[in-house]
Amino acid sequence: MSYPPDKLLYMRIVVLAGGIGGARFLRGLKQAAPDADITVIGNTGDDIHLFGLKVCPDLDTVMYTLGGGINEEQGWGRKDESFHVKEELAAYGVGPEWFGLGDRDFATHIVRTQMLGAGYPLSAVTEALCARWKPGVRLLPMSDDRVETHVAVDMDGERRAIHFQEYWVKLRASVEAQAIVPVGAEQAKPAPGVLEAIAEADVILFPPSNPVVSVGTILAVPGIREAIAEAGVPVVGLSPIVGDAPVRGMADKVLAAVGVESTAAAVATHYGSGLLDGWLVDTVDAGAVGEVEAAGIRCRAVPLMMTDVDATAEMARQALALAGEVRA
Ligand code: FO1
């Protein structure tokens, strides 16, 4: 059974999203289910304070991508961007120079930081920013509390914990990650609306986002994993690993840190049948279907390359069809 088209009209879909992969998948999902009520629970573990400003890369990537303001080539940051402020800061010797904040993007961080300083929680600030960008989804941070992903690395003869962005952007994941720690997650509470959206969902989707530092960090907020497992609705994920390598990014580096192989089947079993009902792998990984199904997760092999919005919309349709199948 697959969902009949009229069901898409009022379907409530919850998506746990990281940055680029999550945002691009959402664009396809919106095309596949234009009238669905979509709530996005965004990862905030990548957030970083720079120049006195709060930067939320994954929330902004979703907001800009769905709002038409993204730099399409990069997948993050604003299109038509300039970097005068960054250059001026560098002229004063103020860094970090390795993180590319553009002038247009700066405005978002200034507004966000001003509102947070005035006492608004991140969820309210995100709603205010989205009033401009109109992403066509309800974008919620996973938590209003500060959670910051740190990566333990061995450098210069000692073990150090560095901010995720320093690991990802400055070091380009070139050093082996010994551990991934979502600092603050244990004490964090889900943001207002998160648990309610999960409880009211008809289907929950894990896009091809990073299973450790994006979806994994969202699931590390106490209450979110439990709410999804207990929602009693289909939970379907799409593999971010195709042909034993990440489709984009460096997910293999952080998967190794949590002892998970970079294969579509290993990521499915990492989430586990207690959480996932269905899993899509790419056609090149069709050989993994049996292994995933043996782990108690319904699995189909379909094309999973987000080459354009049409191809991504077809992936979203397949995910919803699999949700319909596991529900039957
Ligand atoms: N990624 C980079 O590779 N280099 C950058 O300089 C960089 C800056 C940046 C600024 C704002 C923003 O929203 C995202 C930015 N990203 C940059 C992307 C980001 O570091 C990561 O890809 C995500 O955090 C992972 O989802």
Side-chain angles (χ1 to χ4, degrees):
M1 189 188 87
S2 61
Y3 285 115
D6 61 326
K7 182 83 169 91
L8 296 178
L9 287 176
Y10 52 86
M11 185 183 273
R12 288 163 299 189
I13 305 174
V14 166
V15 182
L16 271 52
I20 305 173
R24 289 188 176 157
F25 174 75
L26 283 161
R27 202 154 52 177
L29 179 64
K30 279 181 61 189
Q31 180 172 303
D35 299 313
D37 173 346
I38 302 172
T39 298
V40 180
I41 302 173
N43 170 42
T44 56
D46 294 16
D47 294 4
I48 185 165
H49 287 81
L50 292 171
F51 315 113
L53 300 174
K54 166 109 168 158
V55 181
C56 299
D58 286 1
L59 294 180
D60 289 348
T61 297
V62 170
M63 184 173 79
Y64 293 155
T65 301
L66 300 183
I70 199 76
N71 178 321
E72 290 289 344
E73 292 75 42
Q74 273 175 177
W76 53 266
R78 292 287 308 279
K79 67 180 172 195
D80 304 325
E81 189 57 290
S82 54
F83 289 87
H84 300 298
V85 174
K86 185 171 184 276
E87 285 159 18
E88 291 297 317
L89 287 165
Y92 285 112
V94 175
E97 287 190 48
W98 50 264
F99 201 71
L101 285 186
D103 300 331
R104 293 180 187 279
D105 201 20
F106 258 112
T108 303
H109 313 315
I110 290 169
V111 174
R112 174 184 292 124
T113 308
Q114 253 183 352
M115 287 189 73
L116 289 169
Y120 291 96
L122 183 61
S123 49
V125 175
T126 305
E127 190 179 345
L129 295 172
C130 285
R132 171 185 175 193
W133 289 100
K134 299 181 177 42
V137 298
R138 184 164 177 235
L139 178 59
L140 302 175
M142 64 188 196
S143 178
D144 279 337
D145 302 320
R146 184 167 171 175
V147 178
E148 222 171 68
T149 303
H150 287 192
V151 183
V153 290
D154 290 334
M155 276 169 67
D156 308 323
E158 57 173 7
R159 179 150 299 186
R160 292 169 44 199
I162 57 175
H163 191 284
F164 169 74
Q165 295 296 350
E166 187 175 348
Y167 180 73
W168 206 245
V169 175
K170 185 179 180 193
L171 300 179
R172 303 239 70 97
S174 57
V175 182
E176 202 178 314
Q178 303 295 335
I180 311 290
V181 186
V183 179
E186 276 177 25
Q187 295 79 40
K189 290 178 296 302
V194 166
L195 297 182
E196 294 80 353
I198 293 170
E200 290 164 9
D202 295 308
V203 57
I204 299 169
L205 299 178
F206 293 0
S209 286
N210 191 307
V212 182
V213 294
S214 298
V215 179
T217 307
I218 300 170
L219 294 172
V221 176
I224 296 186
R225 175 188 287 273
E226 297 77 1
I228 294 171
E230 289 161 14
V233 295
V235 180
V236 171
L238 298 93
S239 177
I241 305 289
V242 169
D244 299 345
V247 176
R248 61 168 315 288
M250 301 160 284
D252 48 335
K253 310 287 182 181
V254 286
L255 278 167
V258 296
V260 177
E261 257 187 292
S262 280
T263 67
V267 174
T269 51
H270 170 64
Y271 284 132
S273 60
L275 201 59
L276 272 188
D277 301 299
W279 187 242
L280 292 179
V281 300
D282 188 81
T283 43
V284 302
D285 295 312
V289 170
E291 186 184 340
V292 176
E293 295 222 316
I297 301 163
R298 193 82 64 95
C299 186
R300 296 284 174 270
V302 299
L304 286 188
M305 300 306 283
M306 296 193 282
T307 43
D308 56 30
V309 182
D310 288 346
T312 312
E314 185 49 30
M315 287 165 53
R317 268 184 226 105
Q318 294 288 348
L320 294 174
L322 185 55
E325 236 185 83
V326 296
R327 169 188 293 233

